[in-house]
Amino acid sequence: MKVIRTNNYEEMSKVAADLVISKIKAQPNITLGLATGSTPINLYRQMIQDHQQNGTSYKNIYTVNLDEYIGLPKEHPSSYYFFMKNELFDHLDIPKEQTFIPSGVVADLDEECEKFEQIITNVGGIDLQILGIGPNGHIAFNEPGTPFESRTHVVNLTESTIKANSRFFKTIEEVPTRAISLGLKTIFESKQIILLASGPKKAHAIRDLIDGPIDEQYPASILKKHPNSILIADNDAMQLVSTKSDTILSSDFLAR
Ligand code: PGA
């Protein structure tokens, strides 16, 4: 796993946007794996800005999303479908039928999980996966202890995740307690993975990721086994890391 340290959230987003946009230009039919949450918002804004100003096209791009809450319909303002539509898809020229997000309102959730794995296979696998990380080290909704071999599955969210995500709801009681999530194995099979982290709330998770072992108690640690994974984290998220700085690249290496 390559580690790039940036000064702040804006710089983290810029480094990520440059990487993502250059990949899209090189491979205009790329399959992107996308994440929700506050972390990728500025990355998505820069993708939109680049599309509007430079005409980078998404007409031949496919996207698959990491997860969705169980019980929230598409039109619910806290559903991940709603988030993706508002924060990204409505502002690009991507055909809606090329964007895939698991549904959390189907009768048979296991069937939906299998269907989603099939969709990923049908689009040729994920070329570039964008990830955030939870304060407890989760990626997608794979909470600590999730097997590295897991495939798309139904998850019972931990108390800490429900609390962390309650900021997107009016009350904590409204936060769904279950979700559909891509499995760790599914994510690991992506050809390239970019993990983004910003802010002091992620400092423990990033310390565990960089300084800790590869262990199912630290779901993100699976990325250390991946041949083409990049962590882009800002100073606040990196503040507890003790690993020697010569193994960590500063963002200006990209400009050199
Ligand atoms: P955040 O969520 O980007 O809103 O911090 C990340 C996550 O919980 O995976």
Side-chain angles (χ1 to χ4, degrees):
M1 186 177 69
K2 189 194 281 178
V3 182
I4 301 174
R5 180 181 187 131
T6 67
N7 287 313
N8 51 41
Y9 176 69
E10 284 68 32
E11 202 185 16
M12 177 207 78
S13 308
K14 172 85 174 67
V15 171
D18 287 350
L19 276 169
V20 173
I21 292 165
S22 69
K23 284 287 285 189
I24 292 170
K25 285 185 169 149
Q27 191 185 343
N29 64 349
I30 196 170
T31 295
L32 296 176
L34 298 177
T36 51
S38 25
T39 310
I41 287 180
N42 199 3
L43 159 65
Y44 294 159
R45 296 214 169 129
Q46 294 198 42
M47 289 163 67
I48 294 164
Q49 198 182 22
D50 166 72
H51 165 68
Q52 290 169 345
Q53 290 175 358
N54 306 320
T56 305
S57 177
Y58 291 73
K59 276 198 180 114
N60 297 314
I61 284 180
Y62 285 80
T63 68
V64 293
N65 262 76
L66 286 171
D67 42 20
E68 179 59 285
Y69 289 116
I70 289 173
L72 294 195
K74 287 178 175 180
E75 56 279 6
H76 191 290
S78 302
S79 76
Y80 287 167
Y81 179 93
F82 195 91
F83 175 99
M84 290 309 300
K85 185 172 152 41
N86 281 289
E87 296 294 339
L88 190 64
F89 299 148
D90 276 357
H91 313 283
L92 301 175
D93 60 345
I94 188 162
K96 294 292 172 290
E97 59 277 15
Q98 289 167 208
T99 65
F100 298 97
I101 303 177
S103 171
V105 290
V106 291
D108 190 334
L109 292 166
D110 290 336
E111 191 181 85
E112 179 68 9
C113 293
E114 277 170 36
K115 199 174 112 191
F116 213 69
E117 287 283 331
Q118 194 56 53
I119 286 169
I120 294 171
T121 305
N122 292 350
V123 297
I126 298 166
D127 293 303
L128 175 59
Q129 175 67 59
I130 312 292
L131 292 176
I133 186 167
N136 69 353
H138 74 202
I139 50 174
F141 274 131
N142 294 293
E143 304 284 28
T146 306
F148 283 162
E149 288 298 310
S150 56
R151 295 237 158 244
T152 302
H153 58 134
V154 172
V155 177
N156 291 316
L157 303 178
T158 61
E159 283 295 317
S160 75
T161 295
I162 291 172
K163 202 164 153 228
N165 289 8
S166 64
R167 69 192 196 279
F168 298 113
F169 293 81
K170 284 198 204 87
T171 64
I172 195 163
E173 289 72 31
E174 278 184 40
V175 185
T177 55
R178 293 192 305 158
I180 289 188
S181 173
L182 255 64
L184 290 170
K185 177 102 177 188
T186 321
I187 293 170
F188 189 79
E189 284 170 355
S190 307
K191 293 186 190 76
Q192 185 175 21
I193 301 176
I194 297 177
L195 174 65
L196 302 174
S198 169
K201 286 194 183 128
K202 304 297 168 67
H204 284 100
I206 294 302
R207 180 201 57 198
D208 292 345
L209 168 61
I210 296 182
D211 292 336
I214 297 176
D215 187 291
E216 289 177 354
Q217 284 312 313
Y218 307 109
S221 67
I222 193 174
L223 303 180
K224 294 202 281 193
K225 297 201 286 183
H226 195 281
N228 197 359
S229 64
I230 308 173
L231 165 67
I232 309 172
D234 67 12
N235 279 335
D236 283 344
M238 293 280 280
Q239 62 184 281
L240 300 177
V241 170
S242 67
T243 298
K244 280 208 192 74
S245 59
D246 58 358
T247 59
I248 296 171
L249 302 163
S250 80
S251 60
D252 56 293
F253 97 99
L254 291 165
R256 287 203 288 268

